[in-house]
Amino acid sequence: PQQPLPRFPEGSPFDEFFKDYFDNEQRRSPSQRPMIGLGSGFIIDKSGIVVTNNHVIEGADEITIIMNDQKEFTAELLGRDPKADLADLAVLKFDSGELILKSVKWGDSDKVRVGDWTIAIGNPLGLGGTVTAGIVSAISRDIGNGPYVKFIQTDASINRGNSGGPLFNTEGEVIGINSAIISQTGGSIGLGFAIPTNSAK
């Protein structure tokens, strides 16, 4: 915050001293810059409907979809569901213009079993298009993230920026939406959690 300059009698040596001090402090203060957050999402309808996590876009003034070929589109928020309410989901829409979109297939998360192979795709730490693989470590996992969702646990590497990205089965169907990790370091230690698609739908 801008602090008022103390007032001293005219000609006082303190007058120049404090003026220089406050000028230097203001120069050192960081200017206001826009905050930029990165996350993941996936297209569920060719009309440009995208699913991601609510916490990826929460508080955003602008939402930009960046495709894997680096084309950018402005998105609007259709609806969201904070994790305190249900499942930490957000649904976006964007106009792709002439670009023909491909959408993913929903899988049946109720058929997921411990030991099934999983594939996570996302934008961890800004490294877009990253693919990791693992297995389903547990199902119906309660991680205290809300009363309704029982998460799919996977050991596929999930890091910051993977939030909102798809968790696939080996048929190429989305079985979960990567949403959280448990970690003492902030990086993946093989404890990743995805919202089951049957809850997300």
Side-chain angles (χ1 to χ4, degrees), residues 93-125:
K93 187 174 192 319
F94 72 102
D95 181 359
S96 64
E98 299 295 312
L99 182 65
I100 298 171
L101 300 174
K102 293 181 180 177
S103 60
V104 297
K105 291 182 188 170
W106 288 112
D108 184 353
S109 57
D110 289 342
K111 292 182 177 175
V112 171
R113 295 292 175 261
V114 172
D116 287 354
W117 281 99
T118 60
I119 300 158
I121 300 180
N123 186 33
L125 306 176

PDB file of all heavy atoms in Angstrom, residues 93-125:
ATOM      1  N   LYS A  93     -17.040 -23.314 -22.937  1.00  0.00           N
ATOM      2  CA  LYS A  93     -17.393 -23.409 -24.362  1.00  0.00           C
ATOM      3  C   LYS A  93     -16.556 -22.412 -25.130  1.00  0.00           C
ATOM      4  O   LYS A  93     -16.316 -21.296 -24.658  1.00  0.00           O
ATOM      5  CB  LYS A  93     -18.879 -23.119 -24.577  1.00  0.00           C
ATOM      6  CG  LYS A  93     -19.339 -23.384 -26.024  1.00  0.00           C
ATOM      7  CD  LYS A  93     -20.833 -23.230 -26.166  1.00  0.00           C
ATOM      8  CE  LYS A  93     -21.361 -23.767 -27.480  1.00  0.00           C
ATOM      9  NZ  LYS A  93     -20.577 -23.504 -28.656  1.00  0.00           N
ATOM     10  N   PHE A  94     -16.085 -22.826 -26.307  1.00  0.00           N
ATOM     11  CA  PHE A  94     -15.347 -21.899 -27.162  1.00  0.00           C
ATOM     12  C   PHE A  94     -15.740 -22.127 -28.614  1.00  0.00           C
ATOM     13  O   PHE A  94     -16.207 -23.204 -29.001  1.00  0.00           O
ATOM     14  CB  PHE A  94     -13.831 -22.053 -26.974  1.00  0.00           C
ATOM     15  CG  PHE A  94     -13.238 -23.314 -27.550  1.00  0.00           C
ATOM     16  CD1 PHE A  94     -12.549 -23.289 -28.756  1.00  0.00           C
ATOM     17  CD2 PHE A  94     -13.354 -24.525 -26.875  1.00  0.00           C
ATOM     18  CE1 PHE A  94     -11.995 -24.443 -29.278  1.00  0.00           C
ATOM     19  CE2 PHE A  94     -12.797 -25.682 -27.392  1.00  0.00           C
ATOM     20  CZ  PHE A  94     -12.119 -25.635 -28.600  1.00  0.00           C
ATOM     21  N   ASP A  95     -15.560 -21.083 -29.412  1.00  0.00           N
ATOM     22  CA  ASP A  95     -15.869 -21.142 -30.840  1.00  0.00           C
ATOM     23  C   ASP A  95     -14.580 -21.451 -31.584  1.00  0.00           C
ATOM     24  O   ASP A  95     -13.641 -20.649 -31.580  1.00  0.00           O
ATOM     25  CB  ASP A  95     -16.453 -19.807 -31.289  1.00  0.00           C
ATOM     26  CG  ASP A  95     -16.838 -19.801 -32.773  1.00  0.00           C
ATOM     27  OD1 ASP A  95     -16.623 -20.833 -33.444  1.00  0.00           O
ATOM     28  OD2 ASP A  95     -17.324 -18.763 -33.252  1.00  0.00           O
ATOM     29  N   SER A  96     -14.524 -22.608 -32.231  1.00  0.00           N
ATOM     30  CA  SER A  96     -13.295 -23.039 -32.901  1.00  0.00           C
ATOM     31  C   SER A  96     -13.186 -22.502 -34.318  1.00  0.00           C
ATOM     32  O   SER A  96     -12.201 -22.781 -35.003  1.00  0.00           O
ATOM     33  CB  SER A  96     -13.223 -24.568 -32.918  1.00  0.00           C
ATOM     34  OG  SER A  96     -14.282 -25.096 -33.690  1.00  0.00           O
ATOM     35  N   GLY A  97     -14.197 -21.748 -34.780  1.00  0.00           N
ATOM     36  CA  GLY A  97     -14.141 -21.201 -36.135  1.00  0.00           C
ATOM     37  C   GLY A  97     -14.147 -22.318 -37.172  1.00  0.00           C
ATOM     38  O   GLY A  97     -15.013 -23.188 -37.168  1.00  0.00           O
ATOM     39  N   GLU A  98     -13.150 -22.289 -38.057  1.00  0.00           N
ATOM     40  CA  GLU A  98     -13.061 -23.285 -39.137  1.00  0.00           C
ATOM     41  C   GLU A  98     -12.479 -24.614 -38.660  1.00  0.00           C
ATOM     42  O   GLU A  98     -12.549 -25.619 -39.365  1.00  0.00           O
ATOM     43  CB  GLU A  98     -12.177 -22.742 -40.276  1.00  0.00           C
ATOM     44  CG  GLU A  98     -12.687 -21.458 -40.928  1.00  0.00           C
ATOM     45  CD  GLU A  98     -14.014 -21.677 -41.638  1.00  0.00           C
ATOM     46  OE1 GLU A  98     -14.123 -22.647 -42.403  1.00  0.00           O
ATOM     47  OE2 GLU A  98     -14.945 -20.884 -41.391  1.00  0.00           O
ATOM     48  N   LEU A  99     -11.874 -24.611 -37.474  1.00  0.00           N
ATOM     49  CA  LEU A  99     -11.211 -25.816 -36.980  1.00  0.00           C
ATOM     50  C   LEU A  99     -12.237 -26.889 -36.622  1.00  0.00           C
ATOM     51  O   LEU A  99     -13.191 -26.634 -35.881  1.00  0.00           O
ATOM     52  CB  LEU A  99     -10.375 -25.473 -35.741  1.00  0.00           C
ATOM     53  CG  LEU A  99      -9.571 -26.606 -35.114  1.00  0.00           C
ATOM     54  CD1 LEU A  99      -8.488 -27.097 -36.069  1.00  0.00           C
ATOM     55  CD2 LEU A  99      -8.953 -26.152 -33.798  1.00  0.00           C
ATOM     56  N   ILE A 100     -12.059 -28.084 -37.185  1.00  0.00           N
ATOM     57  CA  ILE A 100     -12.951 -29.208 -36.864  1.00  0.00           C
ATOM     58  C   ILE A 100     -12.411 -29.903 -35.612  1.00  0.00           C
ATOM     59  O   ILE A 100     -11.257 -30.343 -35.569  1.00  0.00           O
ATOM     60  CB  ILE A 100     -13.027 -30.198 -38.041  1.00  0.00           C
ATOM     61  CG1 ILE A 100     -13.624 -29.496 -39.266  1.00  0.00           C
ATOM     62  CG2 ILE A 100     -13.850 -31.422 -37.667  1.00  0.00           C
ATOM     63  CD1 ILE A 100     -13.552 -30.304 -40.542  1.00  0.00           C
ATOM     64  N   LEU A 101     -13.247 -29.975 -34.600  1.00  0.00           N
ATOM     65  CA  LEU A 101     -12.815 -30.514 -33.310  1.00  0.00           C
ATOM     66  C   LEU A 101     -13.093 -32.008 -33.218  1.00  0.00           C
ATOM     67  O   LEU A 101     -14.022 -32.529 -33.844  1.00  0.00           O
ATOM     68  CB  LEU A 101     -13.544 -29.795 -32.175  1.00  0.00           C
ATOM     69  CG  LEU A 101     -13.330 -28.284 -32.074  1.00  0.00           C
ATOM     70  CD1 LEU A 101     -14.224 -27.709 -30.990  1.00  0.00           C
ATOM     71  CD2 LEU A 101     -11.871 -27.957 -31.795  1.00  0.00           C
ATOM     72  N   LYS A 102     -12.264 -32.670 -32.429  1.00  0.00           N
ATOM     73  CA  LYS A 102     -12.510 -34.066 -32.092  1.00  0.00           C
ATOM     74  C   LYS A 102     -12.805 -34.127 -30.596  1.00  0.00           C
ATOM     75  O   LYS A 102     -12.140 -33.456 -29.803  1.00  0.00           O
ATOM     76  CB  LYS A 102     -11.284 -34.921 -32.409  1.00  0.00           C
ATOM     77  CG  LYS A 102     -10.984 -35.038 -33.888  1.00  0.00           C
ATOM     78  CD  LYS A 102      -9.772 -35.929 -34.122  1.00  0.00           C
ATOM     79  CE  LYS A 102      -9.466 -36.043 -35.610  1.00  0.00           C
ATOM     80  NZ  LYS A 102      -8.252 -36.844 -35.843  1.00  0.00           N
ATOM     81  N   SER A 103     -13.777 -34.938 -30.239  1.00  0.00           N
ATOM     82  CA  SER A 103     -14.126 -35.061 -28.822  1.00  0.00           C
ATOM     83  C   SER A 103     -13.726 -36.435 -28.309  1.00  0.00           C
ATOM     84  O   SER A 103     -13.565 -37.382 -29.084  1.00  0.00           O
ATOM     85  CB  SER A 103     -15.627 -34.832 -28.617  1.00  0.00           C
ATOM     86  OG  SER A 103     -16.384 -35.772 -29.350  1.00  0.00           O
ATOM     87  N   VAL A 104     -13.582 -36.538 -27.002  1.00  0.00           N
ATOM     88  CA  VAL A 104     -13.237 -37.818 -26.379  1.00  0.00           C
ATOM     89  C   VAL A 104     -14.508 -38.612 -26.107  1.00  0.00           C
ATOM     90  O   VAL A 104     -15.616 -38.082 -26.159  1.00  0.00           O
ATOM     91  CB  VAL A 104     -12.462 -37.601 -25.053  1.00  0.00           C
ATOM     92  CG1 VAL A 104     -11.139 -36.913 -25.293  1.00  0.00           C
ATOM     93  CG2 VAL A 104     -13.317 -36.838 -24.062  1.00  0.00           C
ATOM     94  N   LYS A 105     -14.328 -39.896 -25.825  1.00  0.00           N
ATOM     95  CA  LYS A 105     -15.459 -40.745 -25.462  1.00  0.00           C
ATOM     96  C   LYS A 105     -15.501 -40.896 -23.947  1.00  0.00           C
ATOM     97  O   LYS A 105     -14.463 -41.109 -23.313  1.00  0.00           O
ATOM     98  CB  LYS A 105     -15.287 -42.140 -26.079  1.00  0.00           C
ATOM     99  CG  LYS A 105     -15.419 -42.208 -27.570  1.00  0.00           C
ATOM    100  CD  LYS A 105     -15.273 -43.668 -28.001  1.00  0.00           C
ATOM    101  CE  LYS A 105     -15.200 -43.771 -29.517  1.00  0.00           C
ATOM    102  NZ  LYS A 105     -14.813 -45.133 -29.918  1.00  0.00           N
ATOM    103  N   TRP A 106     -16.692 -40.797 -23.389  1.00  0.00           N
ATOM    104  CA  TRP A 106     -16.870 -41.101 -21.977  1.00  0.00           C
ATOM    105  C   TRP A 106     -16.811 -42.613 -21.789  1.00  0.00           C
ATOM    106  O   TRP A 106     -17.407 -43.376 -22.554  1.00  0.00           O
ATOM    107  CB  TRP A 106     -18.238 -40.629 -21.477  1.00  0.00           C
ATOM    108  CG  TRP A 106     -18.435 -39.157 -21.325  1.00  0.00           C
ATOM    109  CD1 TRP A 106     -19.251 -38.372 -22.069  1.00  0.00           C
ATOM    110  CD2 TRP A 106     -17.838 -38.302 -20.354  1.00  0.00           C
ATOM    111  NE1 TRP A 106     -19.194 -37.071 -21.621  1.00  0.00           N
ATOM    112  CE2 TRP A 106     -18.334 -36.994 -20.570  1.00  0.00           C
ATOM    113  CE3 TRP A 106     -16.918 -38.499 -19.324  1.00  0.00           C
ATOM    114  CZ2 TRP A 106     -17.962 -35.904 -19.810  1.00  0.00           C
ATOM    115  CZ3 TRP A 106     -16.535 -37.419 -18.559  1.00  0.00           C
ATOM    116  CH2 TRP A 106     -17.045 -36.141 -18.793  1.00  0.00           C
ATOM    117  N   GLY A 107     -16.123 -43.047 -20.746  1.00  0.00           N
ATOM    118  CA  GLY A 107     -16.133 -44.454 -20.361  1.00  0.00           C
ATOM    119  C   GLY A 107     -17.039 -44.648 -19.159  1.00  0.00           C
ATOM    120  O   GLY A 107     -17.540 -43.676 -18.584  1.00  0.00           O
ATOM    121  N   ASP A 108     -17.228 -45.879 -18.774  1.00  0.00           N
ATOM    122  CA  ASP A 108     -18.058 -46.221 -17.621  1.00  0.00           C
ATOM    123  C   ASP A 108     -17.143 -46.442 -16.418  1.00  0.00           C
ATOM    124  O   ASP A 108     -16.506 -47.483 -16.297  1.00  0.00           O
ATOM    125  CB  ASP A 108     -18.876 -47.476 -17.926  1.00  0.00           C
ATOM    126  CG  ASP A 108     -19.841 -47.835 -16.799  1.00  0.00           C
ATOM    127  OD1 ASP A 108     -19.783 -47.190 -15.733  1.00  0.00           O
ATOM    128  OD2 ASP A 108     -20.648 -48.759 -16.989  1.00  0.00           O
ATOM    129  N   SER A 109     -17.087 -45.449 -15.541  1.00  0.00           N
ATOM    130  CA  SER A 109     -16.152 -45.545 -14.403  1.00  0.00           C
ATOM    131  C   SER A 109     -16.574 -46.612 -13.401  1.00  0.00           C
ATOM    132  O   SER A 109     -15.761 -47.047 -12.580  1.00  0.00           O
ATOM    133  CB  SER A 109     -16.021 -44.192 -13.707  1.00  0.00           C
ATOM    134  OG  SER A 109     -17.278 -43.713 -13.272  1.00  0.00           O
ATOM    135  N   ASP A 110     -17.837 -47.063 -13.472  1.00  0.00           N
ATOM    136  CA  ASP A 110     -18.265 -48.125 -12.554  1.00  0.00           C
ATOM    137  C   ASP A 110     -17.627 -49.470 -12.901  1.00  0.00           C
ATOM    138  O   ASP A 110     -17.625 -50.390 -12.085  1.00  0.00           O
ATOM    139  CB  ASP A 110     -19.793 -48.275 -12.584  1.00  0.00           C
ATOM    140  CG  ASP A 110     -20.495 -47.103 -11.915  1.00  0.00           C
ATOM    141  OD1 ASP A 110     -19.825 -46.375 -11.140  1.00  0.00           O
ATOM    142  OD2 ASP A 110     -21.700 -46.898 -12.173  1.00  0.00           O
ATOM    143  N   LYS A 111     -17.102 -49.580 -14.129  1.00  0.00           N
ATOM    144  CA  LYS A 111     -16.464 -50.837 -14.549  1.00  0.00           C
ATOM    145  C   LYS A 111     -14.971 -50.878 -14.209  1.00  0.00           C
ATOM    146  O   LYS A 111     -14.303 -51.871 -14.446  1.00  0.00           O
ATOM    147  CB  LYS A 111     -16.641 -51.037 -16.052  1.00  0.00           C
ATOM    148  CG  LYS A 111     -18.089 -51.295 -16.456  1.00  0.00           C
ATOM    149  CD  LYS A 111     -18.194 -51.526 -17.956  1.00  0.00           C
ATOM    150  CE  LYS A 111     -19.637 -51.846 -18.346  1.00  0.00           C
ATOM    151  NZ  LYS A 111     -19.787 -51.966 -19.810  1.00  0.00           N
ATOM    152  N   VAL A 112     -14.445 -49.754 -13.680  1.00  0.00           N
ATOM    153  CA  VAL A 112     -13.013 -49.676 -13.366  1.00  0.00           C
ATOM    154  C   VAL A 112     -12.692 -50.616 -12.196  1.00  0.00           C
ATOM    155  O   VAL A 112     -13.435 -50.677 -11.210  1.00  0.00           O
ATOM    156  CB  VAL A 112     -12.628 -48.221 -13.009  1.00  0.00           C
ATOM    157  CG1 VAL A 112     -11.211 -48.161 -12.467  1.00  0.00           C
ATOM    158  CG2 VAL A 112     -12.777 -47.330 -14.229  1.00  0.00           C
ATOM    159  N   ARG A 113     -11.586 -51.339 -12.328  1.00  0.00           N
ATOM    160  CA  ARG A 113     -11.153 -52.261 -11.272  1.00  0.00           C
ATOM    161  C   ARG A 113      -9.703 -51.974 -10.893  1.00  0.00           C
ATOM    162  O   ARG A 113      -8.903 -51.534 -11.735  1.00  0.00           O
ATOM    163  CB  ARG A 113     -11.273 -53.716 -11.755  1.00  0.00           C
ATOM    164  CG  ARG A 113     -12.714 -54.150 -12.013  1.00  0.00           C
ATOM    165  CD  ARG A 113     -13.516 -54.235 -10.716  1.00  0.00           C
ATOM    166  NE  ARG A 113     -14.926 -54.546 -10.942  1.00  0.00           N
ATOM    167  CZ  ARG A 113     -15.898 -53.638 -10.959  1.00  0.00           C
ATOM    168  NH1 ARG A 113     -15.599 -52.356 -10.804  1.00  0.00           N
ATOM    169  NH2 ARG A 113     -17.145 -54.002 -11.126  1.00  0.00           N
ATOM    170  N   VAL A 114      -9.377 -52.266  -9.666  1.00  0.00           N
ATOM    171  CA  VAL A 114      -7.999 -52.099  -9.195  1.00  0.00           C
ATOM    172  C   VAL A 114      -7.077 -52.957 -10.062  1.00  0.00           C
ATOM    173  O   VAL A 114      -7.373 -54.119 -10.337  1.00  0.00           O
ATOM    174  CB  VAL A 114      -7.873 -52.498  -7.709  1.00  0.00           C
ATOM    175  CG1 VAL A 114      -6.408 -52.503  -7.271  1.00  0.00           C
ATOM    176  CG2 VAL A 114      -8.693 -51.560  -6.836  1.00  0.00           C
ATOM    177  N   GLY A 115      -5.993 -52.350 -10.526  1.00  0.00           N
ATOM    178  CA  GLY A 115      -5.045 -53.053 -11.394  1.00  0.00           C
ATOM    179  C   GLY A 115      -5.215 -52.727 -12.862  1.00  0.00           C
ATOM    180  O   GLY A 115      -4.321 -53.032 -13.656  1.00  0.00           O
ATOM    181  N   ASP A 116      -6.351 -52.102 -13.245  1.00  0.00           N
ATOM    182  CA  ASP A 116      -6.540 -51.689 -14.642  1.00  0.00           C
ATOM    183  C   ASP A 116      -5.490 -50.643 -15.011  1.00  0.00           C
ATOM    184  O   ASP A 116      -5.149 -49.765 -14.204  1.00  0.00           O
ATOM    185  CB  ASP A 116      -7.932 -51.071 -14.844  1.00  0.00           C
ATOM    186  CG  ASP A 116      -9.048 -52.090 -14.817  1.00  0.00           C
ATOM    187  OD1 ASP A 116      -8.766 -53.307 -14.762  1.00  0.00           O
ATOM    188  OD2 ASP A 116     -10.232 -51.660 -14.832  1.00  0.00           O
ATOM    189  N   TRP A 117      -5.014 -50.687 -16.255  1.00  0.00           N
ATOM    190  CA  TRP A 117      -4.070 -49.680 -16.736  1.00  0.00           C
ATOM    191  C   TRP A 117      -4.774 -48.343 -16.936  1.00  0.00           C
ATOM    192  O   TRP A 117      -5.933 -48.302 -17.371  1.00  0.00           O
ATOM    193  CB  TRP A 117      -3.431 -50.126 -18.049  1.00  0.00           C
ATOM    194  CG  TRP A 117      -2.328 -51.125 -17.839  1.00  0.00           C
ATOM    195  CD1 TRP A 117      -2.423 -52.478 -17.963  1.00  0.00           C
ATOM    196  CD2 TRP A 117      -0.992 -50.845 -17.440  1.00  0.00           C
ATOM    197  NE1 TRP A 117      -1.214 -53.061 -17.665  1.00  0.00           N
ATOM    198  CE2 TRP A 117      -0.315 -52.082 -17.339  1.00  0.00           C
ATOM    199  CE3 TRP A 117      -0.291 -49.673 -17.144  1.00  0.00           C
ATOM    200  CZ2 TRP A 117       1.015 -52.182 -16.965  1.00  0.00           C
ATOM    201  CZ3 TRP A 117       1.046 -49.767 -16.778  1.00  0.00           C
ATOM    202  CH2 TRP A 117       1.678 -51.011 -16.688  1.00  0.00           C
ATOM    203  N   THR A 118      -4.078 -47.269 -16.630  1.00  0.00           N
ATOM    204  CA  THR A 118      -4.611 -45.910 -16.827  1.00  0.00           C
ATOM    205  C   THR A 118      -3.573 -45.060 -17.543  1.00  0.00           C
ATOM    206  O   THR A 118      -2.366 -45.284 -17.414  1.00  0.00           O
ATOM    207  CB  THR A 118      -4.950 -45.230 -15.484  1.00  0.00           C
ATOM    208  OG1 THR A 118      -3.763 -45.141 -14.681  1.00  0.00           O
ATOM    209  CG2 THR A 118      -6.022 -45.976 -14.733  1.00  0.00           C
ATOM    210  N   ILE A 119      -4.070 -44.084 -18.286  1.00  0.00           N
ATOM    211  CA  ILE A 119      -3.209 -43.154 -19.017  1.00  0.00           C
ATOM    212  C   ILE A 119      -3.704 -41.745 -18.723  1.00  0.00           C
ATOM    213  O   ILE A 119      -4.884 -41.435 -18.920  1.00  0.00           O
ATOM    214  CB  ILE A 119      -3.270 -43.419 -20.535  1.00  0.00           C
ATOM    215  CG1 ILE A 119      -2.808 -44.850 -20.840  1.00  0.00           C
ATOM    216  CG2 ILE A 119      -2.422 -42.405 -21.307  1.00  0.00           C
ATOM    217  CD1 ILE A 119      -3.296 -45.381 -22.156  1.00  0.00           C
ATOM    218  N   ALA A 120      -2.815 -40.892 -18.222  1.00  0.00           N
ATOM    219  CA  ALA A 120      -3.166 -39.501 -17.927  1.00  0.00           C
ATOM    220  C   ALA A 120      -2.508 -38.596 -18.966  1.00  0.00           C
ATOM    221  O   ALA A 120      -1.335 -38.782 -19.313  1.00  0.00           O
ATOM    222  CB  ALA A 120      -2.696 -39.114 -16.520  1.00  0.00           C
ATOM    223  N   ILE A 121      -3.277 -37.642 -19.477  1.00  0.00           N
ATOM    224  CA  ILE A 121      -2.736 -36.661 -20.419  1.00  0.00           C
ATOM    225  C   ILE A 121      -3.021 -35.275 -19.868  1.00  0.00           C
ATOM    226  O   ILE A 121      -4.123 -35.012 -19.384  1.00  0.00           O
ATOM    227  CB  ILE A 121      -3.360 -36.809 -21.826  1.00  0.00           C
ATOM    228  CG1 ILE A 121      -3.067 -38.202 -22.381  1.00  0.00           C
ATOM    229  CG2 ILE A 121      -2.818 -35.742 -22.773  1.00  0.00           C
ATOM    230  CD1 ILE A 121      -3.639 -38.462 -23.759  1.00  0.00           C
ATOM    231  N   GLY A 122      -2.028 -34.395 -19.927  1.00  0.00           N
ATOM    232  CA  GLY A 122      -2.267 -33.057 -19.401  1.00  0.00           C
ATOM    233  C   GLY A 122      -1.117 -32.103 -19.634  1.00  0.00           C
ATOM    234  O   GLY A 122      -0.284 -32.299 -20.518  1.00  0.00           O
ATOM    235  N   ASN A 123      -1.091 -31.094 -18.802  1.00  0.00           N
ATOM    236  CA  ASN A 123      -0.194 -29.950 -18.962  1.00  0.00           C
ATOM    237  C   ASN A 123       0.596 -29.731 -17.662  1.00  0.00           C
ATOM    238  O   ASN A 123       0.531 -28.661 -17.072  1.00  0.00           O
ATOM    239  CB  ASN A 123      -1.069 -28.722 -19.292  1.00  0.00           C
ATOM    240  CG  ASN A 123      -0.265 -27.492 -19.619  1.00  0.00           C
ATOM    241  OD1 ASN A 123       0.807 -27.557 -20.189  1.00  0.00           O
ATOM    242  ND2 ASN A 123      -0.790 -26.341 -19.220  1.00  0.00           N
ATOM    243  N   PRO A 124       1.327 -30.747 -17.188  1.00  0.00           N
ATOM    244  CA  PRO A 124       2.000 -30.599 -15.898  1.00  0.00           C
ATOM    245  C   PRO A 124       3.130 -29.571 -15.961  1.00  0.00           C
ATOM    246  O   PRO A 124       3.977 -29.627 -16.856  1.00  0.00           O
ATOM    247  CB  PRO A 124       2.549 -32.000 -15.610  1.00  0.00           C
ATOM    248  CG  PRO A 124       2.727 -32.606 -16.962  1.00  0.00           C
ATOM    249  CD  PRO A 124       1.609 -32.048 -17.803  1.00  0.00           C
ATOM    250  N   LEU A 125       3.080 -28.616 -15.031  1.00  0.00           N
ATOM    251  CA  LEU A 125       4.107 -27.569 -14.944  1.00  0.00           C
ATOM    252  C   LEU A 125       4.284 -26.844 -16.275  1.00  0.00           C
ATOM    253  O   LEU A 125       5.379 -26.390 -16.612  1.00  0.00           O
ATOM    254  CB  LEU A 125       5.438 -28.167 -14.476  1.00  0.00           C
ATOM    255  CG  LEU A 125       5.375 -28.976 -13.173  1.00  0.00           C
ATOM    256  CD1 LEU A 125       6.708 -29.598 -12.850  1.00  0.00           C
ATOM    257  CD2 LEU A 125       4.893 -28.110 -12.010  1.00  0.00           C
TER     258      LEU A 125
END
